[in-house]
Amino acid sequence: MNHSFSVLLDAYRRLWPNRSLAAGPLDEQESQTLLYETIRQELRDEWTHPRVRQSSEVKFYYAVKRVAASDLPNDVKIALIQAYLTVMEQLQTNHT
C-alpha cells in the first residue's frame, strides 16, 4: 500500500515530537520535500555539535530501529523506512 507523504510526515512527527517541522496544510510535493530534507538533516546529524556527530550509517541504524520499535502500523513503518533508504542512498551517491 502506498502512503501519501503527508501520512509519512505525520508518522515522522509522532516518532520525533520534539522536532519542529513546518505545520499547516502542505501539498504532497511539499510534504515529500519536507520529509526528505528532515531525514537528510537527521542522517547527517546536523542538529548535533560537530565534535560529537555520528556517521550517517549510525544515524540510519538508530532511525530504523526506532521506526521498527514504534506502534505505527506495519505498512507505515515500511514506507517510512523506505523513505530513509531513499535519502540514505542519495547521501551515499553524493559522497562518491
Side-chain angles (χ1 to χ4, degrees):
M1 172 186 289
N2 278 343
H3 288 284
S4 69
F5 283 100
S6 57
V7 168
L8 296 179
L9 190 56
D10 286 341
Y12 185 94
R13 283 185 175 112
R14 282 182 52 200
L15 291 175
W16 286 272
N18 295 332
R19 304 251 166 95
S20 58
L21 302 176
L26 300 173
D27 65 26
E28 271 304 290
Q29 184 61 44
E30 292 169 327
S31 293
Q32 178 182 7
T33 300
L34 180 57
L35 179 65
Y36 281 7
E37 182 56 32
T38 304
I39 290 172
R40 186 173 296 108
Q41 290 172 345
E42 178 185 351
L43 293 178
R44 294 181 72 208
D45 210 5
E46 292 180 2
W47 298 309
T48 304
H49 190 279
R51 283 184 278 177
V52 292
R53 286 186 180 155
Q54 296 178 330
S55 70
S56 296
E57 293 81 5
V58 169
K59 296 300 287 186
F60 177 79
Y61 167 78
Y62 286 126
V64 170
K65 190 173 176 179
R66 185 169 189 164
V67 171
S70 74
D71 63 353
L72 294 170
N74 285 336
D75 54 336
V76 173
K77 288 181 188 181
I78 291 168
L80 197 52
I81 290 171
Q82 183 58 54
Y84 271 95
L85 283 167
T86 298
V87 174
M88 187 66 175
E89 288 169 355
Q90 291 170 355
L91 290 174
Q92 296 300 314
T93 300
N94 292 338
H95 276 88
T96 56

